[in-house]
Amino acid sequence: MNVEPLRKILELECKKGYVDSAVIGGLDRFLRNWAGQAVESITASQLLNHFNKLHLVNSNYASLTKEQRQEWVNSVLGFLARVEHGEGKRDEAKLIPITSRSSPRARANRTVVNQSIDSPITIIRGVSSSLATKFNKLDVTTVRDLLYFFPHRHLDYSQRKPISQLTEGSEETIVANVWQAQEIRLGGRRSTEAIVGDETGNVRVVWFNNPYLAKKLATNTRLVISGRVSLFKGRHVFESPEWELVEDKELIHAGRLVPLYPLTQGLRPRQVRKLMKEVVDQWAWQVADFLPSELRERQKLLELPRAISQAHFPEDEALKDRARVRLAFDELFLFQLGVLSKKRDWQEGQPGSPLSTKAPVLEAFLQSLPFELTPAQHRVLKELLADLGKPQPMSRLLQGEVGSGKTVVALAALLMAAANGYQGAFMAPTEILAEQHFSTIHHLLSRAGHLEGKEDYLHSYSGLLSHPLTVAMLIGGITQTRKRELQQRILDGDIDIVIGTHALIQKEVEFRQLGLAVVDEQHRFGVTQRSALRQKGYNPHVLVMTATPIPRTLALTLYGDLDLSVIDQLPPGRQVIKTKWLRPGQRDSAYGFIKRQVADSRQAFIICPLIEESEAIQARAAIAEYERLSQEVFPELRLGLLHGRMPATEKDKVMRRFRSGELNILVATPVVEVGIDVPNATVMLVDSADRFGLSQLHQFRGRVGRGQEQSYCMLLAQNPSEVARERLDIIEKTQDGFELAEEDLKLRGPGEFFGTRQSGLPDLRMAKLSDVGLLELARSEAIRLFEKDKTLEQPEHKPLAKELARVWPEAGEWS
Ligand code: ADP
Ligand code: MG
């Protein structure tokens, strides 16, 4: 039982002289809530007796005389002291339900107190359904949501100044008497003007547009005023400052650290603040602190109820910071526990299939490659093979720059699955990329073996395995009949490797024996996607590949469920791509440069301006730009267009024509961001480059420089903002993807860095992913806890398990 809030309130009540002003709404109302909760946790019969004698549940403090109040407060404080000193702890007497022997009135009160903090906010007095609707717009539906509805910042109105020492232009707080207040017209609007004073002087205060205040401010009313001091006709004046009457109550709006809440239409700041104060006073202490106390004390974290109330109405800056740390820690810690529990479920849920390394097959494949693997590729391949050999399914993230050669490593692993009699799936984010993988893999396998059969979307190769190795591609453009045929053969186990988009493979395909799933170019292979595979009864090894270089601490946090491999080395001979940020006036010279490159038989990409609207609008704009370029700029050249709305077969045709050299220039929407490989392309022109992040620009740049010829990246920026200029400067100078990613994180923050949809990031309100120290702390504490109690079964971890199940229901089977 947490007695501290009640003790504090009673002490305040005592200090204020028993005028029932310590909590908004009065003590009786507060007690009904508190007592109803408290009684549940009293297990010692002696204490319970004492508790019942105090009649907290049906207290009638409001009607007592001052002397009676004093006596009563003292007796309750005495009781609380007994509880706090741990009396009766060894007394195991069972709780006798209070309802069975309390008065009917008390029972009625109990129904109030039984409402949990997960009830809708309409149970709060003063919250009408129309007010609730407004809060719903802010994603606040339950009392708990409201408690976690934190201010976006605080105004520091805590330092009181004498009026004589006010400084123009700064935020100041005064405590003053109203000498005179009246309604006046200011700029044609009914307003209030007041003259207030303290022992050092007087000052004028005006509230625009608020004539009603004049009536509230009777002469001699004491006021706290907080706001910016301005100068009017040579004298100080407060213009529409925050204000509050000085009563025997804790201040809310002025004279303290004042919270500013995110608002929506129809919510007024003062109204929200007042409501929040009530809610925090009445409910915050009812939030169960789910952190094991050992951990909380060791890390000197605030108790949860205190953290919540200090996050709203902090006593001082230091407590405000500690509150933030505690709440941010919770977010990251729970996230880490969720991530670890996923890994646990993944690895222990169903046995995986150990795939042994078939050395002769692997050797033959590596020998057949037109190049030597880089040492980094060798190292990563070894890591993969070691994982595949284990009975627990692999879950590994492979990071590597664009062009670092991830595909060939993945193919070697897929080959091992096939050599062990299992199937492999290679999932790409788009159809174009799936097609490209199909053709890359075809290129590599026909060197390693012999192309034996070639049907639509299906190749088979002999000479590699004891049976012909079959590779199929599933994309949207395939006829239904053919698709069904392929699906049937996958189910029969007749096909070894299936290449397709994530969606297609997860939704439509049944495997006979899926041993390895490779997921290309996705930031986060989501929980749901993985569980979709599991629901089909597979527990394959999973390899997730990404070209986004994620700083290590962040990677460990976000992908804590995955082991990490990095190809940190490009194949030899890769050139530095000359990168230039062009000013608007240089557009024509950029086009001229492209013409000269084409005359030298090179090819170019032009990325259309980014349009945030729909794909349809983006497509229309791309068509218009394509026509402009074809007719006005490059009438004598052959151009192709690629946008997201084109049918897959169309895209395929354009890609083929560009790759074969038939087209000189490929105009594309930003869909070409990932993966396309055309060695003869030497120019990348990005229009409206200021609208893209560094990592994305780096990806575009990675499309060129894949052959022998010097390649160029030209970045056109119409009217770059300050931040965009900084970005463009950086990318001109830096070729290193990791460095760019770090800069991107700094400049844009992780939300934009990952793109909100794909990120799989938890809802972080207090935590910042740039706070490396706290990230590491949360991670190490989560690992430590997991080492002790992997399933969170120990009694002291039960509340944590409950909280985890609440915030992350899909994470695992929490009791
Ligand atoms: P990414 O990591 O971007 O997926 P890819 O696997 O597409 O990179 O490889 C990019 C290009 O580099 C391909 O043409 C591939 O054949 C080639 N490549 C891969 N590994 C090597 C290597 N060790 N030496 C030379 N070229 C390589
Ligand atoms: Mg790739």
Side-chain angles (χ1 to χ4, degrees):
M1 174 168 42
N2 185 3
V3 302
E4 196 191 328
L6 180 56
R7 181 168 52 72
K8 288 213 151 149
I9 283 169
L10 293 179
E11 281 165 3
L12 183 64
E13 180 64 15
C14 171
K15 214 164 75 191
K16 292 190 164 181
Y18 308 99
V19 291
D20 201 6
S21 65
V23 270
I24 292 175
L27 255 178
D28 288 322
R29 196 163 133 213
F30 178 85
L31 281 166
R32 280 202 292 280
N33 271 332
W34 186 89
Q37 295 274 328
V39 67
E40 314 255 350
S41 61
I42 303 176
T43 51
S45 57
Q46 269 181 326
L47 266 186
L48 190 65
N49 254 331
H50 190 164
F51 178 86
N52 284 332
K53 280 204 196 111
L54 296 170
H55 298 290
L56 293 176
V57 183
N58 49 0
S59 65
N60 204 355
Y61 188 77
S63 66
L64 301 180
T65 65
K66 188 171 167 184
E67 285 66 34
Q68 287 169 319
R69 284 177 175 187
Q70 186 170 1
E71 191 181 323
W72 184 88
V73 166
N74 283 335
S75 67
V76 178
L77 282 172
F79 167 73
L80 296 180
R82 278 184 72 185
V83 175
E84 274 186 310
H85 291 116
E87 244 184 78
K89 266 202 182 137
R90 282 172 306 277
D91 184 343
E92 290 301 321
K94 267 267 160 285
L95 170 68
I96 303 149
I98 192 167
T99 40
S100 66
R101 34 185 195 127
S102 54
S103 66
R105 172 157 169 232
R107 265 208 294 284
N109 288 330
R110 281 303 300 282
T111 61
V112 175
V113 300
N114 268 342
Q115 281 165 328
S116 82
I117 62 168
D118 290 307
S119 311
I121 55 174
T122 41
I123 65 158
I124 299 164
R125 216 168 49 198
V127 177
S128 63
S129 61
S130 80
L131 185 59
T133 313
K134 287 170 193 158
F135 270 111
N136 291 347
K137 290 205 184 103
L138 296 164
D139 274 336
V140 172
T141 52
T142 65
V143 177
R144 184 196 299 274
D145 295 339
L146 208 45
L147 288 170
Y148 277 84
F149 178 66
F150 294 116
H152 49 73
R153 64 191 186 97
H154 290 85
L155 292 174
D156 188 354
Y157 287 155
S158 60
Q159 305 305 320
R160 184 189 160 185
K161 270 269 186 81
I163 288 177
S164 63
Q165 287 174 28
L166 291 178
T167 322
E168 185 209 337
S170 46
E171 304 275 354
E172 308 268 36
T173 291
I174 58 170
V175 179
N177 278 325
V178 176
W179 297 136
Q180 172 205 107
Q182 60 189 10
E183 190 186 323
I184 58 163
R185 296 191 83 83
L186 286 172
R189 289 158 185 236
R190 297 173 60 202
S191 306
T192 293
E193 177 190 66
I195 306 296
V196 304
D198 65 10
E199 11 2 297
T200 69
N202 296 338
V203 66
R204 182 168 163 260
V205 189
V206 291
W207 285 274
F208 298 112
N209 237 348
N210 186 351
Y212 312 102
L213 203 52
K215 294 190 189 65
K216 280 195 200 143
L217 303 180
T219 300
N220 273 332
T221 311
R222 269 178 87 65
L223 269 188
V224 187
I225 286 174
S226 294
R228 188 177 296 278
V229 179
S230 10
L231 213 56
F232 183 73
K233 293 191 177 156
R235 320 200 65 157
H236 286 153
V237 59
F238 282 98
E239 292 177 343
S240 297
E242 285 293 347
W243 62 275
E244 190 159 2
L245 300 181
V246 179
E247 292 167 317
D248 274 324
K249 263 195 315 220
E250 210 181 316
L251 289 167
I252 301 176
H253 307 292
R256 59 168 304 139
L257 284 169
V258 176
L260 294 180
Y261 290 96
L263 296 175
T264 189
Q265 189 101 47
L267 285 177
R268 284 168 288 113
R270 286 179 79 88
Q271 167 198 28
V272 172
R273 218 177 274 140
K274 180 158 174 286
L275 176 70
M276 288 310 305
K277 183 75 174 109
E278 276 187 56
V279 170
V280 168
D281 281 350
Q282 297 252 348
W283 295 86
W285 53 270
Q286 295 194 51
V287 179
D289 197 334
F290 49 81
L291 280 191
S293 48
E294 179 275 327
L295 160 61
R296 201 191 61 229
E297 280 154 25
R298 189 160 39 80
Q299 294 299 347
K300 306 203 167 36
L301 295 166
L302 283 188
E303 284 177 38
L304 185 51
R306 188 152 160 77
I308 290 174
S309 64
Q310 290 298 317
H312 289 279
F313 294 93
E315 283 165 33
D316 54 41
E317 286 286 345
L319 274 166
K320 189 183 89 181
D321 288 345
R322 288 189 66 197
R324 194 196 73 80
V325 168
R326 161 70 211 249
L327 294 163
F329 178 84
D330 284 1
E331 289 172 351
L332 296 172
F333 183 63
L334 287 167
F335 180 56
Q336 285 305 291
L337 285 178
V339 158
L340 291 176
S341 70
K342 271 196 304 175
K343 184 171 186 174
R344 175 204 64 194
D345 291 353
W346 181 243
Q347 298 203 322
E348 296 177 358
Q350 298 165 19
S353 350
L355 306 173
S356 61
T357 303
K358 308 285 186 199
V361 180
L362 185 64
E363 276 312 308
F365 172 70
L366 295 180
Q367 290 296 319
S368 77
L369 294 174
F371 45 75
E372 275 280 316
L373 289 192
T374 61
Q377 283 171 311
H378 269 301
R379 190 192 64 235
V380 168
L381 182 57
K382 233 167 92 185
E383 289 167 356
L384 299 189
L385 295 175
D387 275 10
L388 294 177
K390 293 179 190 159
Q392 304 89 359
M394 163 171 83
S395 35
R396 192 167 277 278
L397 176 70
L398 172 52
Q399 277 192 16
E401 279 260 27
V402 183
S404 62
K406 297 184 288 295
T407 317
V408 72
V409 175
L411 181 57
L414 287 165
L415 202 55
M416 286 305 100
N420 278 268
Y422 283 86
Q423 291 167 297
F426 198 147
M427 304 185 229
T430 65
E431 305 226 316
I432 296 185
L433 284 173
E435 291 165 41
Q436 182 177 306
H437 282 317
F438 188 60
S439 87
T440 306
I441 285 173
H442 169 64
H443 178 71
L444 294 170
L445 289 180
S446 44
R447 291 178 66 110
H450 311 283
L451 180 64
E452 193 186 82
K454 188 166 191 246
E455 301 170 33
D456 286 348
Y457 309 103
L458 178 69
H459 295 164
S460 65
Y461 307 88
S462 58
L464 269 165
L465 306 178
S466 53
H467 65 275
L469 175 73
T470 46
V471 180
M473 171 167 66
L474 273 179
I475 51 171
I478 307 181
T479 63
Q480 281 305 314
T481 340
R482 181 63 181 154
K483 204 191 253 177
R484 267 196 294 275
E485 247 167 57
L486 290 174
Q487 284 166 350
Q488 186 57 47
R489 289 173 67 177
I490 294 167
L491 183 61
D492 292 344
D494 194 18
I495 289 171
D496 297 299
I497 298 173
V498 186
I499 299 163
T501 64
H502 302 144
L504 215 58
I505 291 183
Q506 277 156 26
K507 279 203 206 99
E508 302 186 6
V509 182
E510 304 275 343
F511 292 87
R512 192 173 68 88
Q513 216 173 14
L514 181 61
L516 169 64
V518 176
V519 186
D520 193 23
E521 300 291 1
Q522 200 179 29
H523 291 316
R524 189 157 189 87
F525 185 57
V527 198
T528 41
Q529 291 165 303
R530 201 180 296 195
S531 61
L533 284 177
R534 281 183 80 189
Q535 270 162 22
K536 291 184 167 182
Y538 316 122
N539 205 23
H541 298 282
V542 171
L543 176 66
V544 181
M545 306 200 292
T546 176
T548 311
I550 306 165
R552 189 170 174 85
T553 305
L554 193 53
L556 285 176
T557 303
L558 298 179
Y559 305 101
D561 51 337
L562 305 178
D563 298 309
L564 199 57
S565 286
V566 185
I567 303 186
D568 48 7
Q569 186 174 37
L570 292 177
R574 285 287 152 82
Q575 47 172 289
V576 169
I577 297 158
K578 293 193 175 155
T579 305
K580 194 146 174 43
W581 163 23
L582 303 178
R583 309 315 194 254
Q586 295 174 289
R587 180 179 287 273
D588 287 337
S589 77
Y591 292 150
F593 183 76
I594 290 179
K595 284 179 196 162
R596 288 196 298 282
Q597 286 282 308
V598 172
D600 271 352
S601 23
R602 315 270 174 265
Q603 290 164 283
F605 289 98
I606 298 181
I607 306 294
C608 292
L610 175 70
I611 297 173
E612 317 272 350
E613 260 89 357
S614 68
E615 207 180 332
I617 294 176
Q618 174 84 63
R620 261 205 312 271
I623 293 169
E625 175 69 357
Y626 165 74
E627 281 170 359
R628 185 185 76 86
L629 291 169
S630 317
Q631 286 157 21
E632 294 168 25
V633 186
F634 304 107
E636 66 285 6
L637 302 184
R638 290 183 303 272
L639 276 68
L641 171 65
L642 205 61
H643 66 70
R645 272 301 181 92
M646 290 161 57
T649 46
E650 270 307 296
K651 288 183 198 162
D652 187 38
K653 231 162 65 194
V654 175
M655 278 309 307
R656 268 181 223 286
R657 292 175 65 206
F658 188 61
R659 207 177 292 164
S660 71
E662 194 187 313
L663 298 174
N664 308 119
I665 299 174
L666 185 65
V667 180
T669 54
V671 292
V672 294
E673 180 189 346
V674 273
I676 298 173
D677 202 3
V678 183
N680 192 48
T682 53
V683 186
M684 166 60 69
L685 172 65
V686 184
D687 212 328
S688 68
D690 49 320
R691 316 266 301 266
F692 297 102
L694 280 174
S695 295
Q696 210 178 358
L697 291 173
H698 183 63
Q699 301 273 337
F700 288 140
R701 181 165 61 183
R703 298 297 107 231
V704 295
R706 305 203 143 206
Q708 302 305 311
E709 306 302 329
Q710 175 62 52
S711 296
Y712 306 86
C713 178
M714 302 190 286
L715 305 168
L716 266 173
Q718 217 49 277
N719 191 10
S721 65
E722 195 58 39
V723 181
R725 279 164 192 278
E726 215 173 310
R727 278 208 292 269
L728 293 165
D729 264 340
I730 293 168
I731 192 148
E732 262 192 341
K733 293 190 202 104
T734 316
Q735 300 268 330
D736 181 317
F738 271 94
E739 213 173 295
L740 290 171
E742 299 265 10
E743 292 294 337
D744 221 5
L745 263 178
K746 265 191 252 160
L747 290 173
R748 300 202 299 168
E752 276 187 82
F753 177 73
F754 289 103
T756 33
R757 257 181 318 132
Q758 275 200 335
S759 69
L761 286 177
D763 176 18
L764 299 178
R765 299 176 184 207
M766 288 294 191
K768 298 190 196 77
L769 289 179
S770 49
D771 190 347
V772 174
L774 202 60
L775 275 175
E776 276 166 1
L777 181 70
R779 183 169 159 79
S780 65
E781 286 294 345
I783 290 171
R784 179 176 175 148
L785 186 82
F786 241 62
E787 274 165 6
K788 259 195 295 189
D789 182 12
K790 220 175 204 182
T791 46
L792 305 190
E793 280 167 337
Q794 293 167 15
E796 69 271 28
H797 299 152
K798 285 275 184 209
L800 192 54
K802 212 170 131 193
E803 181 69 7
L804 199 52
R806 198 180 62 74
V807 298
W808 204 342
E810 70 272 35
E813 292 79 46
W814 300 102
S815 46

